[in-house]
Amino acid sequence: MNLRTTFALLVLLVGGGAFLWTWPMFAPKIGLMPEPANPQGAGSPKILDEDLRAGRIREIKVRNGGETVELDRGAGDVWALPGKWPTRKAEAEELVGLISGLHSRFAVVPLTSSNADLHQFGLDPSQHPVMVEVKGEKNFQLAFGEPETAETGPFGRPTYVRIGDMSEVVRLGPGIIPILKRPREYYLRRQIFPDADRVKFTDSKPANPFGPSPEAPSGTVLIPLVKSLAVEGPQGKVVLKSEEKPVKLANPDQTRARMDPLQLAEQWEIVEPFKDRADPEKLKALLSAIPVLWAEQFAPSDPGAFLASSLITAPLDGLDNLNSLFDGKLPNAWTDWLLQRTGLDKPEYKLTVTLANGDSIALHLGKVVRFTEKMGTPPPMRPGMPPMPPPIIREEFRYARLDGQPIVFEVKAGKILDLFPAGNVLRDDKLARFQGKDVNKIEIKQPGGTIVLTKEKDEKGDKWRVAQPIQALGEFEKVTELLDKLAGLEARDKDVIDNPNLKDAGFDPANGIQISLTLEEELPGPGETKTKRNRNIAFTFGKQDATAKKVNVRVSGRERVNAVDESAFKLAERPALAYRGRRVLDFDAAGVAKIDVKRAAESFTLQHADSDWKLTAPVAVAADKAKAGNLADDLGRLEAVEYVNDAPKPEDLAKAGLDKPDLTATVAFADAAKSAQTLLIGKQREMKPEYFAKLAGGTSIFVVKKELRDAIDKASLDYRPLQLWTLAPDDLTGLRVEREKENYELKREGFSWKITKPFDAAVSGGQALPIVDAIALLRLLGYQAHTAANLAEFGLDKPQLKLTITANEKDKDGKEISKERTLLIGKAVPGKPELFAKLGDDPAVFRVADSVLLNTNKSALDLLDRKLVLVDSRRISKIERGGTAKMTAIKEGKVWKIQSGTVSFPADEPTIGAVLRLWEFLQAEKIAAYGAGVKLEEFGLNPPADTLTITVDGDADMKPTTHVLKLGKPTEGNARF
């Protein structure tokens, strides 16, 4: 390519660019291109971009043919339909966002003589454009239309908007008209009162043995966020006001807290037709019925559809409606006729709610539209009974509307009785709601003085004390009786006086009895926690009506006067002594350090430490834990049978024997902060089994039971343990027995016993068992003296029996050791089957049962086995008798023959059978002597007076054995092999 060609191309390129740059300016002038639109137009873009911002809009009204959709922005930027009808939030915000977010995709189109025809934009009145009226800081009228034909297919149809009568239109994007044409029902929220708390209530009813515990939650309930509400119905008008500012949660599905119905009732007050508190459960039912009010369905907005619907749902009502259309008497306006036919021109029920933002919404309920029936849950099966049919649940639907709204809809009226109670039904019949367990202090102001009762808590539980005018333990049952009576006080109907004349009712001046309660309550808190609060309740008693047996009572915080049963007043006027408990001393035995008892005969001290009791005076020995503990328990639960004198004079004390009491018990405590308590017991009450008594630091004389006095008036000997040792029979390993004429020793070998001195011999198991058991399981019958100055007095200077035992025991470290003890048994206790006894190393004398001596005072020979021989009589083949009457019995086959000298004859079977059985269990009646050193001639056994010899056949491989029985002096019947 040469230079001229290159230059020519550059000229053409520059010329083409200049043509393209200047063409838009010249083309309109020569008619080859439309005149360009002014981008600033006549001000429409400014209005759309700035004046129609969301924050500046207060009201939007969309008219689409015959239906109008209105949205009003109330307090808190909440959009609602007229009459404060709640909207569906997302849908309402979409419409507001559409209006506030309009912007042009193309240039503004001015309206000139060439395009003044609005048909091309769909804005001609004959095309029924959508009209939108926007009110806010400035008011605007907007007309929206679409061309009849799309430019580039169905999605290429733009939307045009004209603001007022401005000489221009703005071209917008497609898809706007369908949003603007949405019907009013699209924006309606069916839940009429949507703002509510999700509250989990705890059951405030008493415990049911067959149901859940009182603390069991009764489920999550919706409670409306409202400042006040008014209900008007056939039973009158009731207005309630909330004393707590409602706060809307950021998350509507969040559960705010657990709550007791009483807490809910404390937040509300009935202000009309009277001022009072509401019943917690009835208030809960009323409030929880409001959020569940729903528009079940909307009534048709034109006469034809309404008539058709009513003819289907309720034919009789539908025919009545049809007749009214043609009777010539219907009102001119369709709306008036609709309200008349639905009963909403003169509604039977009206609910007015003031929301948290101050807006009020009034709901009118008219005639019943229809009923529906459905099957409920069948009752549970009962054993042996046929199944019960399920109940039929009938539901009622009524016409309804909101004030300021032409919309008529249906609501389910199943909870209408909860929503519209009479004032006297809704009010709380109870004078005050509290639980006795939460009361910590009671103050009773009486004309003669003030009684103060306080509650204390310890490891045993709650207990009441009289703090004024006396200091004493309180009677729990009497205090509970008073609290139960106050908690149960109720008044209703004619027994409630509103706007009372306080002077006539006996409260001006308030000089009657007043009872003030101080409570510490535990209430549900956030989550699963609990919170505590303090509360005061005051009951004031006024005028009494003797004829009706009633008394007027007022409660703090409530204006009304209540006429209640006079029994409450009788409890209120009880004196302080009526609340003083019979419990004189009240302490835990575990906290006792020592007990000092002074009796006429002696004084002694019991010391307590580390769960052990010791007798420290008059001797220092271990004490019986059970007996010492019982004494401490008896004193710790000391109760008076009756108080007889609260201000005794010296002569009164002397008469009761309390000036110089014969019996006192002083209890000292391990806790040094606790003062010791001393009980004085005096004379016996005349003609009654009771004794006068008083506390050393107290003034009142009271009487105690004889059983308590006898329990304290025990000798120190009674507190010594009756168990000398803790042994099992198998723990004994040795025994030395010292009797008047013999001594011998026993030793355990395995499971058997044997005599080791003065001779060696096995001991019969049956003979050893009684003596071993009597020693190992020895239990005393009582102590006679701590120290015996004269042992001869008890026969212990020369005891009948001395037993020295050796036993295996465990020391305090658990190590097994062998220990030796000596038991001395003396003479018999006069007139009793008992014996005096003592240990060899202890001066105390005690008593044991005479069976101990009977089982242990045996000679060594008595312990030997008295069985002489044990043979099988069927194997005896020969019996020989020596001495003067010699004789031989021989078994031949199955027959026995007797040979005596030269005479032989068959033996008598019964007689020979008896002789054979004698040898099977041959046993000595008594063993007279034992051992190799026995002098047989002393028993007539050297030589013997007679002998008996038997021959016993052995088994096949064994030789026969022979047993010889030598008989001595026949008069004594002594015998020896």
Side-chain angles (χ1 to χ4, degrees):
M1 182 182 294
N2 55 30
L3 182 61
R4 286 181 296 180
T5 304
T6 303
F7 180 75
L9 291 174
L10 288 174
V11 172
L12 290 173
L13 180 62
V14 173
F19 176 79
L20 293 174
W21 178 262
T22 58
W23 173 253
M25 295 183 290
F26 294 101
K29 295 180 180 181
I30 61 177
L32 297 177
M33 185 176 179
E35 191 72 28
N38 181 358
Q40 300 302 319
S44 295
K46 179 179 180 299
I47 293 173
L48 296 177
D49 291 340
E50 298 181 11
D51 295 331
L52 293 184
R53 290 180 181 176
R56 296 182 178 182
I57 300 175
R58 305 299 304 174
E59 181 181 333
I60 298 175
K61 184 181 294 184
V62 181
R63 290 192 297 272
N64 176 28
E67 187 174 36
T68 300
V69 176
E70 292 185 57
L71 294 180
D72 296 326
R73 188 170 72 178
D77 293 336
V78 177
W79 288 93
L81 276 75
K84 304 297 186 294
W85 186 292
T87 61
R88 299 164 72 183
K89 183 178 179 182
E91 287 75 0
E93 289 181 351
E94 182 184 11
L95 177 62
V96 175
L98 176 69
I99 300 301
S100 63
L102 294 173
H103 59 84
S104 174
R105 294 180 61 185
F106 304 96
V108 176
V109 180
L111 296 177
T112 63
S113 57
S114 61
N115 62 0
D117 184 6
L118 296 176
H119 275 87
Q120 60 181 315
F121 307 113
L123 296 173
D124 189 82
S126 64
Q127 294 173 298
H128 304 293
V130 178
M131 306 302 296
V132 178
E133 183 179 345
V134 181
K135 294 183 179 181
E137 296 177 1
K138 297 179 181 179
N139 300 333
F140 299 98
Q141 184 84 22
L142 286 72
F144 290 86
E146 290 180 330
E148 296 179 354
T149 59
E151 298 175 357
T152 57
F155 300 103
R157 180 179 296 177
T159 304
Y160 292 94
V161 62
R162 184 183 185 189
I163 303 175
D165 56 357
M166 297 182 72
S167 59
E168 61 187 9
V169 297
V170 178
R171 178 171 176 162
L172 306 174
I176 295 177
I177 295 297
I179 297 176
L180 295 176
K181 286 187 175 182
R182 287 171 176 167
R184 179 174 53 194
E185 188 172 336
Y186 179 80
Y187 298 98
L188 296 177
R189 183 165 181 170
R190 291 182 179 269
Q191 188 179 7
I192 301 170
F193 303 100
D195 292 337
D197 259 350
R198 297 171 63 86
V199 179
K200 183 177 287 187
F201 280 97
T202 54
D203 196 349
S204 63
K205 297 177 182 178
N208 178 1
F210 304 103
S213 66
E215 292 297 321
S218 57
T220 301
V221 177
L222 291 175
I223 299 297
L225 289 167
V226 296
K227 296 168 63 176
S228 66
L229 58 92
V231 293
E232 300 175 61
Q235 302 188 81
K237 182 178 180 180
V238 180
V239 180
L240 295 101
K241 184 179 179 181
S242 174
E243 298 178 359
E244 182 173 285
K245 184 178 180 181
V247 179
K248 187 174 181 179
L249 293 172
N251 180 8
D253 295 329
Q254 178 183 354
T255 300
R256 181 179 295 274
R258 293 186 306 140
M259 183 184 291
D260 188 282
L262 176 61
Q263 292 173 270
L264 180 68
E266 290 173 349
Q267 298 172 8
W268 286 83
E269 183 183 20
I270 302 173
V271 295
E272 190 180 333
F274 41 71
K275 297 190 71 174
D276 204 351
R277 291 289 185 190
D279 181 280
E281 291 295 338
K282 293 174 182 176
L283 176 66
K284 173 186 168 185
L286 188 158
L287 294 176
S288 61
I290 294 176
V292 297
L293 284 169
W294 286 71
E296 301 295 332
Q297 63 183 37
F298 296 92
S301 57
D302 63 88
F306 179 80
L307 285 172
S309 174
S310 62
L311 284 168
I312 294 172
T313 57
L316 294 178
D317 290 341
L319 290 173
D320 187 43
N321 293 336
L322 184 62
N323 291 333
S324 69
L325 273 175
F326 301 104
D327 63 3
K329 299 178 182 179
L330 74 138
N332 295 327
W334 152 249
T335 302
D336 292 340
W337 181 86
L338 178 63
L339 296 180
Q340 185 187 76
R341 302 313 301 169
T342 55
L344 292 169
D345 58 335
K346 297 177 181 179
E348 189 176 359
Y349 297 95
K350 182 180 179 181
L351 169 64
T352 304
V353 172
T354 303
L355 303 176
N357 59 16
D359 292 340
S360 293
I361 300 177
L363 174 69
H364 300 262
L365 298 181
K367 293 180 179 179
V368 175
V369 186
R370 55 192 171 90
F371 293 98
T372 62
E373 292 183 349
K374 64 180 182 179
M375 305 297 286
T377 303
M381 293 284 293
R382 292 178 295 174
M385 299 294 290
M388 299 289 289
I392 298 176
I393 300 175
R394 184 181 175 92
E395 293 183 331
E396 176 184 300
F397 294 82
R398 285 179 176 263
Y399 288 116
R401 77 179 184 93
L402 296 179
D403 255 354
Q405 280 283 359
I407 306 169
V408 176
F409 53 93
E410 297 177 12
V411 296
K412 189 183 296 184
K415 293 189 176 182
I416 196 166
L417 294 179
D418 290 336
L419 266 172
F420 298 95
N424 61 344
V425 173
L426 182 61
R427 79 190 315 171
D428 196 354
D429 295 334
K430 283 190 174 294
L431 274 61
R433 289 187 178 267
F434 67 93
Q435 296 186 56
K437 67 180 182 64
D438 298 327
V439 179
N440 290 330
K441 182 180 179 182
I442 305 172
E443 188 173 343
I444 307 172
K445 294 182 179 179
Q446 299 173 336
T450 300
I451 302 171
V452 178
L453 307 170
T454 58
K455 186 166 69 176
E456 298 177 354
K457 296 180 182 290
D458 59 18
E459 60 277 3
K460 291 183 179 180
D462 297 339
K463 58 185 177 182
W464 285 92
R465 286 190 177 275
V466 183
Q468 187 179 327
I470 58 175
Q471 298 284 331
L473 286 170
E475 182 69 32
F476 194 90
E477 290 74 14
K478 293 289 182 64
V479 177
T480 302
E481 181 186 15
L482 175 65
L483 293 177
D484 289 346
K485 174 61 73 174
L486 294 176
L489 288 178
E490 294 183 351
R492 58 177 64 86
D493 301 329
K494 65 179 181 179
D495 288 334
V496 177
I497 306 172
D498 293 304
N499 303 316
N501 184 319
L502 297 182
K503 184 175 182 179
D504 292 343
F507 296 100
D508 189 14
N511 55 7
I513 296 176
Q514 185 181 70
I515 301 178
S516 299
L517 308 180
T518 302
L519 297 89
E520 183 182 72
E521 298 172 310
E522 195 173 60
L523 301 173
E528 296 300 319
T529 63
K530 291 186 177 182
T531 59
K532 290 186 177 181
R533 73 165 182 181
N534 296 319
R535 186 161 65 105
N536 296 303
I537 303 174
F539 296 81
T540 304
F541 290 82
K543 183 179 179 181
Q544 288 182 272
D545 186 343
T547 303
K549 296 184 178 181
K550 300 265 187 175
V551 61
N552 291 336
V553 180
R554 292 190 75 201
V555 177
S556 56
R558 301 179 77 173
E559 296 182 1
R560 75 189 207 186
V561 170
N562 311 272
V564 301
D565 188 84
E566 66 179 6
S567 59
F569 181 75
K570 291 180 178 179
L571 292 182
E573 64 178 356
R574 287 191 304 199
L577 288 179
Y579 296 102
R580 180 167 58 179
R582 292 186 300 166
R583 182 68 61 86
V584 178
L585 295 176
D586 190 14
F587 56 81
D588 191 347
V592 174
K594 70 174 182 175
I595 301 174
D596 290 308
V597 177
K598 292 182 179 180
R599 305 168 62 235
E602 64 166 349
S603 298
F604 63 88
T605 300
L606 290 166
Q607 195 86 25
H608 182 217
D610 300 328
S611 301
D612 282 332
W613 286 90
K614 293 182 179 179
L615 191 63
T616 57
V619 293
V621 293
D624 188 295
K625 290 183 182 180
K627 291 181 179 179
N630 288 340
L631 176 62
D633 285 338
D634 288 341
L635 291 170
R637 298 192 304 268
L638 177 64
E639 290 188 353
V641 175
E642 181 185 351
Y643 285 91
V644 295
N645 195 332
D646 286 314
K649 298 177 181 179
E651 55 267 28
D652 297 326
L653 293 175
K655 184 177 180 181
L658 293 169
D659 56 339
K660 297 177 181 179
D662 291 334
L663 181 62
T664 67
T666 301
V667 182
F669 301 98
D671 185 354
K674 289 185 177 182
S675 301
Q677 297 281 356
T678 299
L679 174 68
L680 314 177
I681 299 180
K683 296 178 181 179
Q684 186 173 1
R685 197 176 189 184
E686 291 183 7
M687 307 299 292
K688 290 188 178 181
E690 300 164 355
Y691 284 79
F692 294 107
K694 71 181 292 290
L695 295 180
T699 58
S700 300
I701 297 177
F702 48 89
V703 290
V704 296
K705 293 180 179 179
K706 180 179 183 299
E707 291 81 2
L708 176 66
R709 193 260 185 197
D710 292 344
I712 298 174
D713 191 23
K714 286 184 177 180
S716 59
L717 291 169
D718 291 329
Y719 291 96
R720 297 195 65 154
L722 300 179
Q723 196 78 34
L724 284 179
W725 47 64
T726 304
L727 296 174
D730 290 344
D731 294 332
L732 270 64
T733 59
L735 174 64
R736 185 167 64 251
V737 180
E738 299 179 41
R739 306 170 71 224
E740 183 179 359
K741 294 183 178 180
E742 71 166 338
N743 298 334
Y744 62 91
E745 295 183 16
L746 299 174
K747 184 178 181 182
R748 178 189 291 277
E749 291 186 352
F751 296 101
S752 302
W753 286 85
K754 67 174 295 185
I755 298 174
T756 57
K757 290 183 180 180
F759 49 81
D760 289 334
V763 174
S764 169
Q767 296 295 330
L769 186 60
I771 189 171
V772 171
D773 286 349
I775 295 172
L777 306 177
L778 178 64
R779 183 172 179 83
L780 310 185
L781 298 180
Y783 277 81
Q784 192 68 23
H786 291 299
T787 302
N790 182 12
L791 292 179
E793 180 183 354
F794 306 103
L796 291 169
D797 56 335
K798 297 177 180 179
Q800 297 186 63
L801 185 66
K802 181 177 180 182
L803 301 172
T804 302
I805 63 171
T806 305
N808 290 328
E809 301 182 33
K810 290 184 178 180
D811 61 12
K812 61 181 181 179
D813 298 325
K815 183 180 179 182
E816 191 171 86
I817 58 174
S818 181
K819 190 171 183 179
E820 187 175 274
R821 293 185 176 89
T822 300
L823 175 66
L824 308 178
I825 299 179
K827 65 182 182 181
V829 178
K832 292 184 178 180
E834 302 173 2
L835 298 166
F836 294 115
K838 70 180 293 292
L839 292 176
D841 57 355
D842 191 324
V845 176
F846 44 81
R847 303 183 307 278
V848 298
D850 58 3
S851 59
V852 175
L853 183 64
L854 180 65
N855 288 319
T856 57
N857 191 20
K858 296 181 179 181
S859 69
L861 296 176
D862 290 336
L863 302 180
L864 299 178
D865 193 349
R866 290 180 293 165
K867 190 176 293 181
L868 301 179
V869 66
L870 181 63
V871 298
D872 185 354
S873 61
R874 294 172 299 177
R875 292 179 178 271
I876 299 176
S877 60
K878 185 178 181 181
I879 303 175
E880 295 179 83
R881 179 179 180 182
T884 57
K886 293 182 179 180
M887 180 192 70
T888 303
I890 300 175
K891 185 178 181 181
E892 295 180 356
K894 294 183 179 181
V895 178
W896 281 87
K897 288 186 177 182
I898 306 297
Q899 290 183 354
S900 178
T902 60
V903 180
S904 176
F905 53 88
D908 180 67
E909 289 186 8
T911 302
I912 196 66
V915 173
L916 293 173
R917 285 192 299 273
L918 176 65
W919 286 94
E920 284 187 342
F921 302 101
L922 187 60
Q923 180 172 300
E925 293 296 326
K926 182 179 180 181
I927 298 177
Y930 184 90
V934 175
K935 296 179 179 181
L936 297 180
E937 57 273 13
E938 293 181 2
F939 303 97
L941 291 170
N942 189 18
D946 205 346
T947 60
L948 290 174
T949 304
I950 64 171
T951 301
V952 182
D953 294 339
D955 293 330
D957 56 346
M958 296 181 65
K959 295 180 179 181
T961 57
T962 300
H963 299 282
V964 179
L965 177 64
K966 297 180 180 181
L967 300 178
K969 297 178 181 179
T971 55
E972 298 180 3
N974 294 317
R976 183 181 184 279
F977 279 111

